[in-house]
Amino acid sequence: MAERYGTAAEALQDVLADGMTLAVGGFGLCGIPADLIDAVRDSGVRDLTIASNNMGVDGEGLGRLLENGQVRRIMASYVGENRRFAEMYLADEVEVEFTPQGTLAERLRAGGAGIPGFFTRTGVGTRVAEGKQHQEFDGETFILERGIVADVSLVHARTADAGGNLVYNLTAGNLNPLVATCGRVTVVEAEEIVEPGEIRPDAVMTPSVFVQRLVQATDREKLIEKRTTRPRPEPADA
């Protein structure tokens, strides 16, 4: 049974520490645990290692932790859309471990499944493979990638029940389900919290066994990285 908290800050107040590893769900600004990220910023913890697809954008999402000088190391697949992230990386102000997106997802899944490592062909012959164990299988070369186990996982869900069973909304179910499994402590903000039994068993995307803490998400605008539109065609004359 997940323990419910009144605010994101209360849900994190006794689990955050300098130098810890956080796994954070979301893709860009879609499906990010914005309240929990803000609570990490406000806590003042430093020297964090962040495992996430990317670091949000300037001034939003995980970009807020970067700009506040709280991040030491990042495991991510993408730098784009965040100018400050790129500047810090090029200036050696933050350590970055680039990981192909599918490999990052599998590393999170492996960590949650208790798998210490796996072999993949992705990255063979590139800088991604430098310093990693190489192994040949059936005439093909593979590299060893390690599973990711985070001290704390931060997750955003569309719906949770009081026990901690989770449902995600559309593409917000990107890395959130994987992040939810790989944390020693998993903290979830949910847009809607319902009573046990109100989520159909076959609709559960993350079972409650992975969730320790739960908080109601605040009602906030859902941002996007870049709005691209084109003029709407004029209706044809009847």
Side-chain angles (χ1 to χ4, degrees):
M1 177 72 72
E3 186 173 358
R4 186 167 176 179
Y5 290 79
T7 67
E10 292 172 358
L12 293 174
Q13 64 182 352
D14 60 345
V15 295
L16 297 178
D18 292 347
M20 73 186 327
T21 296
L22 299 179
V24 185
F27 186 99
L29 296 178
C30 176
I32 63 169
D35 291 346
L36 293 170
I37 291 171
D38 285 353
V40 173
R41 177 199 59 190
D42 295 343
S43 75
V45 292
R46 310 187 74 79
D47 296 324
L48 297 172
T49 293
I50 304 291
S52 186
N53 181 70
N54 60 302
M55 292 297 292
V57 302
D58 295 285
E60 297 293 346
L62 289 169
R64 296 185 175 186
L65 302 187
L66 275 176
E67 294 173 3
N68 208 33
Q70 294 173 265
V71 181
R72 176 182 57 83
R73 181 169 179 265
I74 299 164
M75 292 180 278
S77 70
Y78 184 53
V79 173
E81 309 298 339
N82 191 318
R83 183 177 303 171
R84 181 58 182 147
F85 184 8
E87 290 173 350
M88 293 177 70
Y89 168 63
L90 294 172
D92 291 326
E93 295 176 3
V94 64
E95 180 183 345
V96 180
E97 180 183 347
F98 281 117
T99 303
Q101 196 167 84
T103 301
L104 178 63
E106 183 64 8
R107 290 181 67 190
L108 294 166
R109 189 200 70 82
I115 299 170
F118 59 91
F119 285 96
T120 176
R121 289 181 60 195
T122 304
V124 172
T126 73
R127 292 181 63 182
V128 168
E130 292 178 3
K132 296 177 181 175
Q133 179 182 336
H134 289 59
Q135 183 72 41
E136 189 170 297
F137 296 95
D138 301 322
E140 301 276 3
T141 300
F142 293 72
I143 58 174
L144 177 65
E145 294 282 1
R146 296 297 305 271
I148 295 173
V149 177
D151 296 302
V152 176
S153 285
L154 307 181
V155 173
H156 180 93
R158 171 64 183 87
T159 304
D161 68 19
N165 295 299
L166 307 179
V167 176
Y168 307 98
N169 184 44
L170 302 175
T171 53
N174 38 57
L175 295 182
N176 275 301
L178 305 175
V179 168
T181 68
C182 76
R184 294 185 176 94
V185 176
T186 294
V187 186
V188 176
E189 62 175 59
E191 297 175 35
E192 177 186 32
I193 300 177
V194 300
E195 293 302 314
E198 290 191 47
I199 299 176
R200 295 195 330 271
D202 62 325
V204 171
M205 297 178 178
T206 295
S208 61
V209 67
F210 292 109
V211 178
Q212 285 74 49
R213 300 185 176 199
L214 180 63
V215 64
Q216 175 78 49
T218 60
D219 185 15
R220 61 165 74 198
E221 179 186 3
K222 294 184 180 180
L223 302 173
I224 62 172
E225 294 97 304
K226 186 182 298 184
R227 187 180 301 277
T228 303
T229 61
R230 59 188 176 195
R232 185 183 300 273
E234 293 294 332
D237 292 337

